[in-house]
Amino acid sequence: MREILKRRRRFLSRRNGGGPELLGSALTFATQWQWPVLPGVSPDAQGRARCGCPDPECTVPGAHPFDPGLLAATTDERMVRWWWANRPSAPIILATGGRAPCAVSLPALAASRALGLLDRRGMRLGPVIASPTRWSLLVQPYSMEQLGELLYAKDFVPGSLHFHGEGGYIALPPSETGQGAVRWERAPLPGSASPWVPGVEAVVDAVVDALTRTGVSAPEL
């Protein structure tokens, strides 16, 4: 009976995406890569498509910070261990910008087709994070002024492109959110001291061109 209970606990831990895997990943991000992280709001236990936050209309259920707030993001090992010891299934949220990577995200179907074209062109990309609805391409930190100049110079930028810069956030693998599992579509190289990421200009130029050439309208989500 004791062995059956142990197996059941291991199964539940894997199914809920909690336990040592989330803590280990959070520690890698924070202490090895120096990415500031914090726990996100878990999905509502009564319905995973709903968020555990007070907003009944939350559009990113389980994939955003709430308590603590985004400003609490840290690279401190003791704080990270304390958070996930108390909330072992909490999603891992990256506070983008500063010394941490930023991100450019777009709808999953459009992202899949765009990345296929960029692969055929031999373009080097950094890590890519995938959720069931959106994929995020990690890029070097940028300022709002830099992003504004980049977008102003373009004739057209799909409204479905979202930019996660200073003051923004994204959920990191292997988080489980109300929209499903977050995973690596393009994982960092094992043992990376800190993953290489491209500049935002190169990524935006390539993605906009790829969306145009593949004929993906990329609806505004």
Side-chain angles (χ1 to χ4, degrees), residues 30-136:
T31 63
Q32 183 175 327
W33 298 352
Q34 292 296 294
W35 292 1
V37 298
L38 74 163
V41 182
S42 296
D44 191 322
Q46 302 303 315
R48 295 194 65 82
R50 299 199 304 266
C51 190
C53 75
D55 182 3
E57 304 298 327
C58 181
T59 58
V60 283
H64 68 90
F66 174 66
D67 183 16
L70 186 62
L71 292 179
T74 184
T75 60
D76 181 75
E77 179 179 350
R78 290 176 298 177
M79 194 72 245
V80 170
R81 287 188 181 277
W82 186 86
W83 275 333
W84 271 273
N86 288 276
R87 299 166 59 183
S89 63
I92 305 171
I93 302 298
L94 168 69
T96 53
R99 292 187 299 173
C102 294
V104 177
S105 71
L106 62 161
L109 176 60
S112 176
R113 295 181 179 178
L115 262 63
L117 178 58
L118 299 184
D119 283 344
R120 292 192 291 274
R121 293 179 176 178
M123 179 177 176
R124 183 186 181 191
L125 293 172
V128 178
I129 297 166
S131 75
T133 56
R134 296 187 71 84
W135 290 11
S136 299

